[in-house]
Amino acid sequence: MSTAHPATVRGRQTITLVAVCLAVLVLPASLTGTSVALPRISAELNVGLAPLQWVVNSYNLTFACSMLACGSLADILGRRRVFTAGTALFALSTLLSAVTSDIIVLDVARALAGVGAAAVMTAGAAMLAATFEGAALAGAFAVLGSSAGAGLALGPSSAGLLVDAFGWRAVFVSHLVVSMVVLAAVPLLPESKNPNATKVDWAGTVTFTLSLFCLMLGIVLGPQRGWGSAGIVGFFAAAVLLMALFVVVELRQRHPMFNIALFKQRRFMAVSLIPVVLSFGFVCLLVLLPAFFTSAMGMGTDAAGVAMMLLTLPVLMVPLVVSRLVKRGLSTRIVLSGSLLVAAVGTGWLTVIESDTAVSALVGPLLLIGIAMGMTAGLVDGVAITSVEPGHAGAAAGMFNTMRLAGETLAIAVMGAVLLNATGNRISDGLQGIAGRADADAGAIAGQVVSGNLAGEAAGLAGAARTGFLDLLTGSYTGALHTVLWTVTVICALSAVVVHVMLRERETGAALVESAEQTAAKAEA
């Protein structure tokens, strides 16, 4: 038992909470803020859609794939040590992103930043689990969830202002500054390990990482190379084979890093499913909407950032309201399944969006989608991490956040592919009526349109031909976005039903136990 003075303990807890939350704040902002900067990056570096997509995809992919290994390393080497290494790697990679003018270097730097982010997230969550106890631990994770939500909320708006004032590099510089502040606080953070952890499950790590990588690569390259091409089919086949091998490897491990047995628990599965589904209903829109706002709707980068605040600001405020309601007895089952239903209503309503839609008409649907995300922020994190012994907190954080990040990566890749494919098909159908463009590559044009370079494709045309071509591109882009939104609506609505049913067993069981205890108490009286 610790003999430290209570004031000293509280001070150390406060410093740890602030440092971890500040570090986690910048991780989602690095995703959403970069998404806002993509059109400027494309214009300045003169790059196509594929390498431009990897500025976002490489970060999310390595973030998701590195979670399990980083969680295990945090338990073995020390949570503070891995947290420090992750923050330093993130800072150095972000510095490289800010100064490079080579898109390949930028993509590689973003991939390294994803590895650093995984170390920060898993080690930071494990430090909180080792520093706090009981109700204080639940409160700490609620604050952590709110910090991640704040990163999502502030990322697009702050990036829009920075890009408009100083250029896209300023986005990375701002993330670097935050990381340096966190590093300054590292000497004040406590160290902790799991004494029972001995080694990293490299076989599981490698098979899972390669499986997810092949899956994402197939989804990202599918629209460009053709879904039935040998290479794309090969990627998907390899992903399935490697995932099957991963399951076999984990079942044979005495101490697996990814406890597959947890998937037999309906409540854990339901809690893990929620952030995955909301990745389709919220996170992918953080990536896709800024380009639509700036190109199809003609907004400036700063105006697009402000418009995105309608989507993200609720994530700052709603978690606090929900936390109070849950403490007063509101069912977590209602909150969690209800969040998906609210997301479905919001994305369905957002289909009113057109190239000439006033921002005021988007207030309702964007706020609803943001509220849906805010309803779960912090709540699902606390349930997942506190369900295991503190000694395994790093592995638990790695497991849950791997599913969350894999879901985000999958959502962005899948919905991006749907948007690109649908845009290309619509453009292809309309090209025959455009003089001078009948033989153009619809897929290549769609890539430029989706990356935000809509006007650039009309270069060389004038008069009615230019107007007609721009109308075709704008209409195709808008119709494809509607397809994405309706797809997301269906996913969220069906998942709301599934989660509500999956959570019923636990709550019904708890009610029966409580009823039995009350009956026994009355009998004894």
Side-chain angles (χ1 to χ4, degrees), residues 315-384:
V315 184
L316 284 174
M317 299 174 286
V318 172
L320 299 177
V321 176
V322 170
S323 176
R324 291 178 181 176
L325 292 175
V326 169
K327 288 179 180 179
R328 293 179 181 179
L330 179 62
S331 167
T332 55
R333 178 190 181 199
I334 296 298
V335 173
L336 297 178
S337 59
S339 68
L340 302 181
L341 187 59
V342 172
V345 174
T347 52
W349 188 2
L350 190 57
T351 56
V352 301
I353 192 170
E354 301 286 347
S355 60
D356 58 351
T357 300
V359 175
S360 59
L362 305 180
V363 172
L366 290 176
L367 285 177
L368 270 187
I369 298 169
I371 289 170
M373 187 68 180
M375 289 170 68
T376 67
L379 192 61
V380 291
D381 299 75
V383 173

Side-chain angles (χ1 to χ4, degrees), residues 18-42:
V18 171
V20 171
C21 288
L22 188 60
V24 168
L25 171 76
V26 80
L27 304 185
S30 187
L31 168 67
T32 58
T34 303
S35 299
V36 172
L38 287 182
R40 286 288 187 92
I41 295 174
S42 176

Side-chain angles (χ1 to χ4, degrees), residues 384-461:
I385 304 299
T386 57
S387 63
V388 300
E389 294 295 327
H392 298 284
M399 183 174 178
F400 179 75
N401 285 300
T402 293
M403 296 190 64
R404 188 212 305 267
L405 267 296
E408 291 182 4
T409 306
L410 183 65
I412 293 170
V414 170
M415 291 298 100
V418 170
L419 182 65
L420 179 61
N421 221 44
T423 303
N425 290 338
R426 291 168 182 269
I427 290 174
S428 179
D429 293 339
L431 279 177
Q432 298 303 318
I434 306 297
R437 286 292 189 271
D439 298 327
D441 185 345
I445 295 174
Q448 289 298 314
V449 170
V450 171
S451 66
N453 189 23
L454 190 149
E457 283 300 308
L461 295 178

Side-chain angles (χ1 to χ4, degrees), residues 73-81 130 191-197 390-392:
L73 286 172
D75 285 339
I76 296 169
L77 301 178
R79 282 73 179 258
R80 185 180 70 176
R81 184 174 298 174
E191 181 62 286
S192 62
K193 299 180 181 180
N194 175 11
N196 297 320
H392 298 284

